[in-house]
Amino acid sequence: MPTTSYKKLPYEYGFSDPEISVFKTKQGINQDVVKTISLLKHEDDKMYNFRLRAFQYFTDQPMPTWGPDLSDINFDDIYYYLKPTDKEGHSWDEVPSEIKNTYDKLGIPEAEKQYLGGVKAQYESEVIYGSLMKKLADQGVIFCGMDEALKKYPKLVWQYFGKIVPPDDNKFASLNSAVWSGGSFIYIPKNVHVELPLQTYFRINSQKMGQFERTLIIADEGSFVHYIEGCTAPIYSTDSLHAAVVEVFVKTNARVRYTTIQNWSTNVYNLVTKRAQVEANGVMEWVDGNLGSKVTMKYPSNILVGENAHAEVLSIAVASGIQHLDAGAKAIHLAPNTTSRIVSKSISLNGGRSSYRGTVYISQGATNARSKVVCDALILDKLSRSDTYPINKNSEPSAFIEHEATVSKIGEDQLFYLMSRGFSVNEAEAMIVNGFVEPIVKQLPMEYSLELNRLINLQMEGSVA
Amino acid sequence: MIQFKNISVSVDKKPILKNITFDLKPGQITALMGPNGSGKSTVALTLAGHPNYQITSGQIIFGKIDISQLSPDERANLGFFLASQSPVAIPGLNVKTFLWQIFKKFHPDQKTSLSEFRSWLAFESDTLGIKSELLDRSLNDGFSGGERKKMEVLQMLVSNPKYLILDEIDSGLDIDALKIISLRIQKLAQDLNSAILIITHAPKILEYLKPNQVLVLDKGQIKKSGDASLVQKIIDSGFNS
Ligand SMILES: Nc1ncnc2c1ncn2[C@@H]1O[C@H](COP(=O)(O)OP(=O)(O)O)[C@@H](O)[C@H]1O
Ligand SMILES: [Mg+2]
């Protein structure tokens, strides 16, 4: 792999021939950068125009000020596109030592460490990748990178792309729409059940990881898929902004589970727009774990358009130190007998701040719709903070919204009880915290839940006076 | 041996125990009785090291050293076990997992496998009249008073306790359960030659666990002490005679 040659090239853009070897757009963003990205990717006019339109929306919208402080984001400092294969940004020495220690404590293999630390772009696991892909292809499943999908299946992509998260949706969705790169495209044919979760191995291999990734999932009638993105080990990125867009279409009788474990390093602003549209009898489930990042803003949304459609959002946030994790969910009930359940658990420690921000909307005519929201916050010390910002709007007399919120501290009596069984303060506190997140952790595949528990314990180590 | 030597205790600067002295000897049973609010639980919590119970004077001597500054887990690791008067719930902490963790803590060298442990647990739970579904739930979460007390006994059995402090272990248990549990504790104490401190205001449990010494607490002070015959006097004429 050529790792040095391109570095000698000046970082230029604005060339007329997209074939010349340009690997990275200039720092900062303007219309030319957006055009360059589209040209470099040999995209059709439709995407070229889509990007330009989105860029206009991005420029027109002010920075959102209703949530966490975003004033430190400098759009001029960011590189918006670099060729994925050349994304070997830094050496192993540059990876912060606390992240290396975490890899060691988790027992992550050497090859994977290099990838996670951002040193290597690819993590080789060809064998697993190859055989599973063949099985899926035999079932008619399409699972590939978003860029590849646009080339191979433009009609299918354009039928859905940007339809539930339009390019003017919000400032960061607009930015993503303008400069997106990478991400996954998944199409599950009618009545196909994908038994194994489609997970990290795939994305590691196909370089779908990126700052501005774009994911589109279409689950056709009666199908099922579980998609897992991210991984529990901390991802070290020198990129300071991650603005992704995820769109999920759940057709009649289909079910999609979307699991995210987010553990970006604490320099990253993680501002993600995730939305699903659910048709009659469809089920959308989001399981969302947020451990990392400096700031996260993420509210998986569910538009329930068909009768009996159901949405479920289970999320955990662990905010420590400088982190401000603003997470939540939205459920928009537009049809009769639609149901939603939102369970949000947050832990704040070492001065960390977590918030729940959620909206439940029930339209007139969505008869007998029901929604239940449960937010539990656990605050481990006096420096830390937790807030809830729920918005409930019900325009249908026969429907109802239930909302429960609790804020708790670790009880002295709980700690004493466990310590009097021989456990140290740290062990006792970890038991209480792991118990607190257990209802969500148990929804994760085994290897993820074990690692998540270990990570929470690592975060808590030494946090107790 | 443990010596409670001239101990005075305050909670939130409010004095509760005054100048209490007694010994707990291996193989012996001590009954601590007294009316509600006399300070019995305070004695138990002070022994176990609850941070809110401030020892203002006196010492807790273990062997030859003063352990009054040790944390609750350090004391547990010396063999102290407090069966709490009102055991707290820990939501999400699975009972089986928790018991296995305690077991490993107190048997670091044993080769017992998880499946061997599970069959042992199934047997002991059955003996104690603990429904097996309880073992798959969260610790004490939604448990009845009696179920919580039985759960304390199960924890005791995996902890190798040398000093058993039973704070009203009898409350919330029906007569049959009380007998079963008393006999199980007696066997455990015999196997390990443990000392037992039984806190109660109902003498029934003392028929199964016969005390070598009886202490009567009143308003934070030891008002009377004696042998097992003191129990009968209390039954006949109450604490105030
Ligand atoms: N944590 C506490 N805060 C304030 N007062 C307490 C606390 N614990 C015990 N006390 C007081 O100390 C006295 C003795 O209580 P306790 O030891 O629980 O009595 P017993 O177990 O004999 O019923 C009571 O007056 C009780 O109100
Ligand atoms: Mg008491």
PDB file of all heavy atoms in Angstrom, chain A residues 417-423 428 431, chain B residues 90 93-105 117 135 137 139-140 151-152 155 158:
ATOM      1  N   TYR A 417     -24.065  -2.626  51.693  1.00  0.00           N
ATOM      2  CA  TYR A 417     -24.544  -4.008  51.635  1.00  0.00           C
ATOM      3  C   TYR A 417     -23.578  -4.880  50.822  1.00  0.00           C
ATOM      4  O   TYR A 417     -23.161  -5.951  51.267  1.00  0.00           O
ATOM      5  CB  TYR A 417     -25.938  -4.018  51.016  1.00  0.00           C
ATOM      6  CG  TYR A 417     -26.609  -5.369  50.982  1.00  0.00           C
ATOM      7  CD1 TYR A 417     -27.092  -5.959  52.145  1.00  0.00           C
ATOM      8  CD2 TYR A 417     -26.782  -6.050  49.784  1.00  0.00           C
ATOM      9  CE1 TYR A 417     -27.721  -7.195  52.111  1.00  0.00           C
ATOM     10  CE2 TYR A 417     -27.416  -7.286  49.741  1.00  0.00           C
ATOM     11  CZ  TYR A 417     -27.884  -7.855  50.904  1.00  0.00           C
ATOM     12  OH  TYR A 417     -28.506  -9.074  50.874  1.00  0.00           O
ATOM     13  N   LEU A 418     -23.206  -4.383  49.644  1.00  0.00           N
ATOM     14  CA  LEU A 418     -22.323  -5.187  48.795  1.00  0.00           C
ATOM     15  C   LEU A 418     -20.915  -5.262  49.376  1.00  0.00           C
ATOM     16  O   LEU A 418     -20.253  -6.296  49.298  1.00  0.00           O
ATOM     17  CB  LEU A 418     -22.295  -4.615  47.372  1.00  0.00           C
ATOM     18  CG  LEU A 418     -23.635  -4.703  46.624  1.00  0.00           C
ATOM     19  CD1 LEU A 418     -23.541  -4.018  45.279  1.00  0.00           C
ATOM     20  CD2 LEU A 418     -24.064  -6.164  46.451  1.00  0.00           C
ATOM     21  N   MET A 419     -20.460  -4.166  49.978  1.00  0.00           N
ATOM     22  CA  MET A 419     -19.123  -4.190  50.582  1.00  0.00           C
ATOM     23  C   MET A 419     -19.085  -5.153  51.763  1.00  0.00           C
ATOM     24  O   MET A 419     -18.085  -5.826  51.984  1.00  0.00           O
ATOM     25  CB  MET A 419     -18.710  -2.788  51.026  1.00  0.00           C
ATOM     26  CG  MET A 419     -18.410  -1.880  49.839  1.00  0.00           C
ATOM     27  SD  MET A 419     -17.997  -0.205  50.369  1.00  0.00           S
ATOM     28  CE  MET A 419     -16.330  -0.474  50.991  1.00  0.00           C
ATOM     29  N   SER A 420     -20.199  -5.245  52.484  1.00  0.00           N
ATOM     30  CA  SER A 420     -20.197  -6.160  53.625  1.00  0.00           C
ATOM     31  C   SER A 420     -20.235  -7.615  53.160  1.00  0.00           C
ATOM     32  O   SER A 420     -20.182  -8.535  53.965  1.00  0.00           O
ATOM     33  CB  SER A 420     -21.362  -5.853  54.572  1.00  0.00           C
ATOM     34  OG  SER A 420     -22.572  -6.264  53.989  1.00  0.00           O
ATOM     35  N   ARG A 421     -20.314  -7.822  51.835  1.00  0.00           N
ATOM     36  CA  ARG A 421     -20.163  -9.169  51.278  1.00  0.00           C
ATOM     37  C   ARG A 421     -18.742  -9.391  50.770  1.00  0.00           C
ATOM     38  O   ARG A 421     -18.461 -10.371  50.089  1.00  0.00           O
ATOM     39  CB  ARG A 421     -21.153  -9.396  50.122  1.00  0.00           C
ATOM     40  CG  ARG A 421     -22.607  -9.337  50.554  1.00  0.00           C
ATOM     41  CD  ARG A 421     -22.914 -10.428  51.581  1.00  0.00           C
ATOM     42  NE  ARG A 421     -24.292 -10.369  52.059  1.00  0.00           N
ATOM     43  CZ  ARG A 421     -24.657  -9.902  53.246  1.00  0.00           C
ATOM     44  NH1 ARG A 421     -23.748  -9.453  54.098  1.00  0.00           N
ATOM     45  NH2 ARG A 421     -25.923  -9.884  53.609  1.00  0.00           N
ATOM     46  N   GLY A 422     -17.878  -8.411  51.028  1.00  0.00           N
ATOM     47  CA  GLY A 422     -16.470  -8.607  50.684  1.00  0.00           C
ATOM     48  C   GLY A 422     -16.013  -7.887  49.428  1.00  0.00           C
ATOM     49  O   GLY A 422     -14.868  -8.018  49.019  1.00  0.00           O
ATOM     50  N   PHE A 423     -16.905  -7.127  48.790  1.00  0.00           N
ATOM     51  CA  PHE A 423     -16.515  -6.448  47.559  1.00  0.00           C
ATOM     52  C   PHE A 423     -15.989  -5.047  47.848  1.00  0.00           C
ATOM     53  O   PHE A 423     -16.503  -4.352  48.733  1.00  0.00           O
ATOM     54  CB  PHE A 423     -17.699  -6.390  46.589  1.00  0.00           C
ATOM     55  CG  PHE A 423     -18.194  -7.757  46.195  1.00  0.00           C
ATOM     56  CD1 PHE A 423     -19.319  -8.312  46.780  1.00  0.00           C
ATOM     57  CD2 PHE A 423     -17.484  -8.511  45.261  1.00  0.00           C
ATOM     58  CE1 PHE A 423     -19.746  -9.596  46.447  1.00  0.00           C
ATOM     59  CE2 PHE A 423     -17.901  -9.788  44.909  1.00  0.00           C
ATOM     60  CZ  PHE A 423     -19.040 -10.332  45.510  1.00  0.00           C
ATOM     61  N   ALA A 428     -18.273  -2.911  44.138  1.00  0.00           N
ATOM     62  CA  ALA A 428     -19.670  -2.728  44.541  1.00  0.00           C
ATOM     63  C   ALA A 428     -20.351  -1.713  43.627  1.00  0.00           C
ATOM     64  O   ALA A 428     -21.472  -1.932  43.148  1.00  0.00           O
ATOM     65  CB  ALA A 428     -19.738  -2.270  45.988  1.00  0.00           C
ATOM     66  N   MET A 431     -21.051  -3.218  40.309  1.00  0.00           N
ATOM     67  CA  MET A 431     -22.199  -4.139  40.337  1.00  0.00           C
ATOM     68  C   MET A 431     -23.513  -3.368  40.236  1.00  0.00           C
ATOM     69  O   MET A 431     -24.433  -3.786  39.538  1.00  0.00           O
ATOM     70  CB  MET A 431     -22.209  -4.931  41.650  1.00  0.00           C
ATOM     71  CG  MET A 431     -21.234  -6.076  41.674  1.00  0.00           C
ATOM     72  SD  MET A 431     -21.258  -6.816  43.322  1.00  0.00           S
ATOM     73  CE  MET A 431     -20.404  -8.337  42.952  1.00  0.00           C
TER      74      MET A 431
ATOM     75  N   ILE B  90     -30.841  -4.766  44.767  1.00  0.00           N
ATOM     76  CA  ILE B  90     -29.914  -4.260  43.751  1.00  0.00           C
ATOM     77  C   ILE B  90     -30.513  -4.635  42.390  1.00  0.00           C
ATOM     78  O   ILE B  90     -30.284  -5.735  41.889  1.00  0.00           O
ATOM     79  CB  ILE B  90     -28.497  -4.870  43.871  1.00  0.00           C
ATOM     80  CG1 ILE B  90     -28.005  -4.923  45.316  1.00  0.00           C
ATOM     81  CG2 ILE B  90     -27.518  -4.131  42.957  1.00  0.00           C
ATOM     82  CD1 ILE B  90     -27.521  -3.619  45.894  1.00  0.00           C
ATOM     83  N   LEU B  93     -28.915  -6.961  39.316  1.00  0.00           N
ATOM     84  CA  LEU B  93     -27.837  -7.845  39.767  1.00  0.00           C
ATOM     85  C   LEU B  93     -28.420  -9.249  39.959  1.00  0.00           C
ATOM     86  O   LEU B  93     -29.168  -9.503  40.904  1.00  0.00           O
ATOM     87  CB  LEU B  93     -27.213  -7.321  41.067  1.00  0.00           C
ATOM     88  CG  LEU B  93     -26.094  -8.175  41.685  1.00  0.00           C
ATOM     89  CD1 LEU B  93     -24.941  -8.375  40.703  1.00  0.00           C
ATOM     90  CD2 LEU B  93     -25.570  -7.531  42.967  1.00  0.00           C
ATOM     91  N   ASN B  94     -28.085 -10.129  39.051  1.00  0.00           N
ATOM     92  CA  ASN B  94     -28.629 -11.480  39.049  1.00  0.00           C
ATOM     93  C   ASN B  94     -28.167 -12.275  40.276  1.00  0.00           C
ATOM     94  O   ASN B  94     -26.978 -12.292  40.602  1.00  0.00           O
ATOM     95  CB  ASN B  94     -28.183 -12.177  37.752  1.00  0.00           C
ATOM     96  CG  ASN B  94     -28.603 -13.621  37.712  1.00  0.00           C
ATOM     97  OD1 ASN B  94     -27.878 -14.493  38.190  1.00  0.00           O
ATOM     98  ND2 ASN B  94     -29.767 -13.880  37.154  1.00  0.00           N
ATOM     99  N   VAL B  95     -29.115 -12.918  40.952  1.00  0.00           N
ATOM    100  CA  VAL B  95     -28.812 -13.610  42.206  1.00  0.00           C
ATOM    101  C   VAL B  95     -27.727 -14.677  42.022  1.00  0.00           C
ATOM    102  O   VAL B  95     -26.748 -14.725  42.761  1.00  0.00           O
ATOM    103  CB  VAL B  95     -30.079 -14.240  42.812  1.00  0.00           C
ATOM    104  CG1 VAL B  95     -29.725 -15.173  43.956  1.00  0.00           C
ATOM    105  CG2 VAL B  95     -31.029 -13.161  43.293  1.00  0.00           C
ATOM    106  N   LYS B  96     -27.893 -15.522  40.990  1.00  0.00           N
ATOM    107  CA  LYS B  96     -26.927 -16.608  40.783  1.00  0.00           C
ATOM    108  C   LYS B  96     -25.525 -16.062  40.540  1.00  0.00           C
ATOM    109  O   LYS B  96     -24.550 -16.543  41.095  1.00  0.00           O
ATOM    110  CB  LYS B  96     -27.340 -17.449  39.571  1.00  0.00           C
ATOM    111  CG  LYS B  96     -28.139 -18.671  39.923  1.00  0.00           C
ATOM    112  CD  LYS B  96     -28.362 -19.511  38.670  1.00  0.00           C
ATOM    113  CE  LYS B  96     -29.473 -20.510  38.900  1.00  0.00           C
ATOM    114  NZ  LYS B  96     -30.112 -20.935  37.664  1.00  0.00           N
ATOM    115  N   THR B  97     -25.470 -15.065  39.666  1.00  0.00           N
ATOM    116  CA  THR B  97     -24.179 -14.462  39.347  1.00  0.00           C
ATOM    117  C   THR B  97     -23.532 -13.893  40.606  1.00  0.00           C
ATOM    118  O   THR B  97     -22.338 -14.068  40.856  1.00  0.00           O
ATOM    119  CB  THR B  97     -24.369 -13.309  38.333  1.00  0.00           C
ATOM    120  OG1 THR B  97     -25.198 -13.769  37.285  1.00  0.00           O
ATOM    121  CG2 THR B  97     -23.053 -12.818  37.788  1.00  0.00           C
ATOM    122  N   PHE B  98     -24.346 -13.221  41.388  1.00  0.00           N
ATOM    123  CA  PHE B  98     -23.850 -12.593  42.604  1.00  0.00           C
ATOM    124  C   PHE B  98     -23.311 -13.644  43.577  1.00  0.00           C
ATOM    125  O   PHE B  98     -22.200 -13.517  44.103  1.00  0.00           O
ATOM    126  CB  PHE B  98     -24.989 -11.791  43.235  1.00  0.00           C
ATOM    127  CG  PHE B  98     -24.622 -11.085  44.507  1.00  0.00           C
ATOM    128  CD1 PHE B  98     -23.584 -10.163  44.526  1.00  0.00           C
ATOM    129  CD2 PHE B  98     -25.324 -11.328  45.677  1.00  0.00           C
ATOM    130  CE1 PHE B  98     -23.250  -9.506  45.694  1.00  0.00           C
ATOM    131  CE2 PHE B  98     -24.998 -10.669  46.849  1.00  0.00           C
ATOM    132  CZ  PHE B  98     -23.954  -9.762  46.863  1.00  0.00           C
ATOM    133  N   LEU B  99     -24.074 -14.707  43.772  1.00  0.00           N
ATOM    134  CA  LEU B  99     -23.630 -15.753  44.694  1.00  0.00           C
ATOM    135  C   LEU B  99     -22.333 -16.400  44.207  1.00  0.00           C
ATOM    136  O   LEU B  99     -21.440 -16.709  44.990  1.00  0.00           O
ATOM    137  CB  LEU B  99     -24.731 -16.809  44.860  1.00  0.00           C
ATOM    138  CG  LEU B  99     -25.973 -16.336  45.617  1.00  0.00           C
ATOM    139  CD1 LEU B  99     -27.101 -17.353  45.476  1.00  0.00           C
ATOM    140  CD2 LEU B  99     -25.667 -16.080  47.091  1.00  0.00           C
ATOM    141  N   TRP B 100     -22.229 -16.565  42.908  1.00  0.00           N
ATOM    142  CA  TRP B 100     -21.014 -17.150  42.319  1.00  0.00           C
ATOM    143  C   TRP B 100     -19.817 -16.225  42.543  1.00  0.00           C
ATOM    144  O   TRP B 100     -18.722 -16.667  42.871  1.00  0.00           O
ATOM    145  CB  TRP B 100     -21.270 -17.416  40.835  1.00  0.00           C
ATOM    146  CG  TRP B 100     -20.096 -17.858  40.012  1.00  0.00           C
ATOM    147  CD1 TRP B 100     -19.570 -17.226  38.926  1.00  0.00           C
ATOM    148  CD2 TRP B 100     -19.300 -19.065  40.169  1.00  0.00           C
ATOM    149  NE1 TRP B 100     -18.521 -17.947  38.404  1.00  0.00           N
ATOM    150  CE2 TRP B 100     -18.330 -19.072  39.146  1.00  0.00           C
ATOM    151  CE3 TRP B 100     -19.326 -20.122  41.079  1.00  0.00           C
ATOM    152  CZ2 TRP B 100     -17.382 -20.095  39.000  1.00  0.00           C
ATOM    153  CZ3 TRP B 100     -18.374 -21.143  40.940  1.00  0.00           C
ATOM    154  CH2 TRP B 100     -17.429 -21.123  39.911  1.00  0.00           C
ATOM    155  N   GLN B 101     -20.058 -14.922  42.430  1.00  0.00           N
ATOM    156  CA  GLN B 101     -18.967 -13.979  42.674  1.00  0.00           C
ATOM    157  C   GLN B 101     -18.517 -13.997  44.134  1.00  0.00           C
ATOM    158  O   GLN B 101     -17.329 -13.937  44.421  1.00  0.00           O
ATOM    159  CB  GLN B 101     -19.389 -12.558  42.266  1.00  0.00           C
ATOM    160  CG  GLN B 101     -19.312 -12.365  40.755  1.00  0.00           C
ATOM    161  CD  GLN B 101     -19.880 -11.039  40.316  1.00  0.00           C
ATOM    162  OE1 GLN B 101     -20.996 -10.682  40.668  1.00  0.00           O
ATOM    163  NE2 GLN B 101     -19.113 -10.294  39.554  1.00  0.00           N
ATOM    164  N   ILE B 102     -19.496 -14.094  45.043  1.00  0.00           N
ATOM    165  CA  ILE B 102     -19.119 -14.184  46.462  1.00  0.00           C
ATOM    166  C   ILE B 102     -18.338 -15.480  46.692  1.00  0.00           C
ATOM    167  O   ILE B 102     -17.297 -15.491  47.340  1.00  0.00           O
ATOM    168  CB  ILE B 102     -20.361 -14.183  47.387  1.00  0.00           C
ATOM    169  CG1 ILE B 102     -21.203 -12.924  47.176  1.00  0.00           C
ATOM    170  CG2 ILE B 102     -19.934 -14.281  48.850  1.00  0.00           C
ATOM    171  CD1 ILE B 102     -22.475 -12.902  48.026  1.00  0.00           C
ATOM    172  N   PHE B 103     -18.849 -16.548  46.115  1.00  0.00           N
ATOM    173  CA  PHE B 103     -18.202 -17.852  46.300  1.00  0.00           C
ATOM    174  C   PHE B 103     -16.739 -17.800  45.850  1.00  0.00           C
ATOM    175  O   PHE B 103     -15.837 -18.232  46.551  1.00  0.00           O
ATOM    176  CB  PHE B 103     -18.963 -18.937  45.519  1.00  0.00           C
ATOM    177  CG  PHE B 103     -18.330 -20.294  45.628  1.00  0.00           C
ATOM    178  CD1 PHE B 103     -18.581 -21.102  46.736  1.00  0.00           C
ATOM    179  CD2 PHE B 103     -17.463 -20.751  44.646  1.00  0.00           C
ATOM    180  CE1 PHE B 103     -17.984 -22.355  46.850  1.00  0.00           C
ATOM    181  CE2 PHE B 103     -16.859 -21.998  44.757  1.00  0.00           C
ATOM    182  CZ  PHE B 103     -17.119 -22.800  45.860  1.00  0.00           C
ATOM    183  N   LYS B 104     -16.522 -17.220  44.663  1.00  0.00           N
ATOM    184  CA  LYS B 104     -15.150 -17.162  44.146  1.00  0.00           C
ATOM    185  C   LYS B 104     -14.257 -16.305  45.038  1.00  0.00           C
ATOM    186  O   LYS B 104     -13.084 -16.600  45.235  1.00  0.00           O
ATOM    187  CB  LYS B 104     -15.150 -16.615  42.710  1.00  0.00           C
ATOM    188  CG  LYS B 104     -15.572 -17.670  41.699  1.00  0.00           C
ATOM    189  CD  LYS B 104     -15.258 -17.231  40.278  1.00  0.00           C
ATOM    190  CE  LYS B 104     -16.043 -15.978  39.954  1.00  0.00           C
ATOM    191  NZ  LYS B 104     -15.846 -15.539  38.559  1.00  0.00           N
ATOM    192  N   LYS B 105     -14.855 -15.236  45.565  1.00  0.00           N
ATOM    193  CA  LYS B 105     -14.090 -14.344  46.449  1.00  0.00           C
ATOM    194  C   LYS B 105     -13.597 -15.097  47.692  1.00  0.00           C
ATOM    195  O   LYS B 105     -12.475 -14.917  48.127  1.00  0.00           O
ATOM    196  CB  LYS B 105     -14.984 -13.162  46.843  1.00  0.00           C
ATOM    197  CG  LYS B 105     -14.305 -12.155  47.704  1.00  0.00           C
ATOM    198  CD  LYS B 105     -14.720 -10.737  47.325  1.00  0.00           C
ATOM    199  CE  LYS B 105     -13.556  -9.984  46.813  1.00  0.00           C
ATOM    200  NZ  LYS B 105     -13.666  -9.002  45.876  1.00  0.00           N
ATOM    201  N   PHE B 117     -21.184 -25.704  41.124  1.00  0.00           N
ATOM    202  CA  PHE B 117     -21.709 -24.679  42.016  1.00  0.00           C
ATOM    203  C   PHE B 117     -23.226 -24.588  41.872  1.00  0.00           C
ATOM    204  O   PHE B 117     -23.959 -24.503  42.850  1.00  0.00           O
ATOM    205  CB  PHE B 117     -21.059 -23.331  41.700  1.00  0.00           C
ATOM    206  CG  PHE B 117     -21.566 -22.210  42.560  1.00  0.00           C
ATOM    207  CD1 PHE B 117     -21.178 -22.091  43.882  1.00  0.00           C
ATOM    208  CD2 PHE B 117     -22.453 -21.268  42.039  1.00  0.00           C
ATOM    209  CE1 PHE B 117     -21.656 -21.069  44.682  1.00  0.00           C
ATOM    210  CE2 PHE B 117     -22.939 -20.237  42.831  1.00  0.00           C
ATOM    211  CZ  PHE B 117     -22.541 -20.136  44.158  1.00  0.00           C
ATOM    212  N   LEU B 135     -33.719 -17.399  42.021  1.00  0.00           N
ATOM    213  CA  LEU B 135     -32.280 -17.337  41.749  1.00  0.00           C
ATOM    214  C   LEU B 135     -31.982 -16.674  40.414  1.00  0.00           C
ATOM    215  O   LEU B 135     -30.859 -16.266  40.149  1.00  0.00           O
ATOM    216  CB  LEU B 135     -31.682 -18.745  41.761  1.00  0.00           C
ATOM    217  CG  LEU B 135     -31.856 -19.539  43.054  1.00  0.00           C
ATOM    218  CD1 LEU B 135     -31.288 -20.939  42.888  1.00  0.00           C
ATOM    219  CD2 LEU B 135     -31.182 -18.829  44.227  1.00  0.00           C
ATOM    220  N   ARG B 137     -33.649 -14.024  39.384  1.00  0.00           N
ATOM    221  CA  ARG B 137     -34.102 -12.624  39.445  1.00  0.00           C
ATOM    222  C   ARG B 137     -33.000 -11.698  39.941  1.00  0.00           C
ATOM    223  O   ARG B 137     -31.895 -12.110  40.215  1.00  0.00           O
ATOM    224  CB  ARG B 137     -35.331 -12.541  40.350  1.00  0.00           C
ATOM    225  CG  ARG B 137     -36.504 -13.238  39.676  1.00  0.00           C
ATOM    226  CD  ARG B 137     -37.877 -12.972  40.201  1.00  0.00           C
ATOM    227  NE  ARG B 137     -38.076 -11.937  41.200  1.00  0.00           N
ATOM    228  CZ  ARG B 137     -39.044 -12.007  42.117  1.00  0.00           C
ATOM    229  NH1 ARG B 137     -39.835 -13.067  42.155  1.00  0.00           N
ATOM    230  NH2 ARG B 137     -39.218 -11.035  42.972  1.00  0.00           N
ATOM    231  N   LEU B 139     -31.250  -9.299  42.680  1.00  0.00           N
ATOM    232  CA  LEU B 139     -31.072  -9.482  44.116  1.00  0.00           C
ATOM    233  C   LEU B 139     -32.071  -8.661  44.939  1.00  0.00           C
ATOM    234  O   LEU B 139     -32.082  -7.428  44.860  1.00  0.00           O
ATOM    235  CB  LEU B 139     -29.638  -9.106  44.513  1.00  0.00           C
ATOM    236  CG  LEU B 139     -29.258  -9.321  45.975  1.00  0.00           C
ATOM    237  CD1 LEU B 139     -29.299 -10.804  46.343  1.00  0.00           C
ATOM    238  CD2 LEU B 139     -27.891  -8.732  46.268  1.00  0.00           C
ATOM    239  N   ASN B 140     -32.902  -9.375  45.702  1.00  0.00           N
ATOM    240  CA  ASN B 140     -33.879  -8.783  46.627  1.00  0.00           C
ATOM    241  C   ASN B 140     -34.910  -7.873  45.965  1.00  0.00           C
ATOM    242  O   ASN B 140     -35.716  -7.233  46.648  1.00  0.00           O
ATOM    243  CB  ASN B 140     -33.184  -7.993  47.752  1.00  0.00           C
ATOM    244  CG  ASN B 140     -32.326  -8.880  48.633  1.00  0.00           C
ATOM    245  OD1 ASN B 140     -32.628 -10.059  48.793  1.00  0.00           O
ATOM    246  ND2 ASN B 140     -31.264  -8.320  49.187  1.00  0.00           N
ATOM    247  N   MET B 151     -32.473 -15.308  51.481  1.00  0.00           N
ATOM    248  CA  MET B 151     -31.374 -14.938  50.584  1.00  0.00           C
ATOM    249  C   MET B 151     -30.126 -14.563  51.378  1.00  0.00           C
ATOM    250  O   MET B 151     -29.002 -14.834  50.951  1.00  0.00           O
ATOM    251  CB  MET B 151     -31.842 -13.778  49.696  1.00  0.00           C
ATOM    252  CG  MET B 151     -31.091 -13.607  48.401  1.00  0.00           C
ATOM    253  SD  MET B 151     -30.861 -15.123  47.456  1.00  0.00           S
ATOM    254  CE  MET B 151     -32.522 -15.474  46.925  1.00  0.00           C
ATOM    255  N   GLU B 152     -30.327 -13.966  52.560  1.00  0.00           N
ATOM    256  CA  GLU B 152     -29.182 -13.653  53.420  1.00  0.00           C
ATOM    257  C   GLU B 152     -28.478 -14.946  53.836  1.00  0.00           C
ATOM    258  O   GLU B 152     -27.254 -15.010  53.875  1.00  0.00           O
ATOM    259  CB  GLU B 152     -29.633 -12.894  54.676  1.00  0.00           C
ATOM    260  CG  GLU B 152     -30.199 -11.500  54.430  1.00  0.00           C
ATOM    261  CD  GLU B 152     -29.159 -10.518  53.906  1.00  0.00           C
ATOM    262  OE1 GLU B 152     -28.363  -9.992  54.692  1.00  0.00           O
ATOM    263  OE2 GLU B 152     -29.163 -10.298  52.682  1.00  0.00           O
ATOM    264  N   GLN B 155     -26.368 -16.319  51.017  1.00  0.00           N
ATOM    265  CA  GLN B 155     -25.116 -15.561  50.892  1.00  0.00           C
ATOM    266  C   GLN B 155     -24.129 -15.953  51.984  1.00  0.00           C
ATOM    267  O   GLN B 155     -22.930 -16.050  51.756  1.00  0.00           O
ATOM    268  CB  GLN B 155     -25.393 -14.054  50.965  1.00  0.00           C
ATOM    269  CG  GLN B 155     -26.171 -13.532  49.766  1.00  0.00           C
ATOM    270  CD  GLN B 155     -26.574 -12.078  49.947  1.00  0.00           C
ATOM    271  OE1 GLN B 155     -25.772 -11.242  50.302  1.00  0.00           O
ATOM    272  NE2 GLN B 155     -27.839 -11.790  49.718  1.00  0.00           N
ATOM    273  N   VAL B 158     -22.135 -19.133  51.252  1.00  0.00           N
ATOM    274  CA  VAL B 158     -21.019 -19.091  50.303  1.00  0.00           C
ATOM    275  C   VAL B 158     -19.868 -18.237  50.809  1.00  0.00           C
ATOM    276  O   VAL B 158     -18.843 -18.118  50.145  1.00  0.00           O
ATOM    277  CB  VAL B 158     -21.450 -18.601  48.896  1.00  0.00           C
ATOM    278  CG1 VAL B 158     -22.302 -19.642  48.212  1.00  0.00           C
ATOM    279  CG2 VAL B 158     -22.167 -17.270  48.952  1.00  0.00           C
TER     280      VAL B 158
END
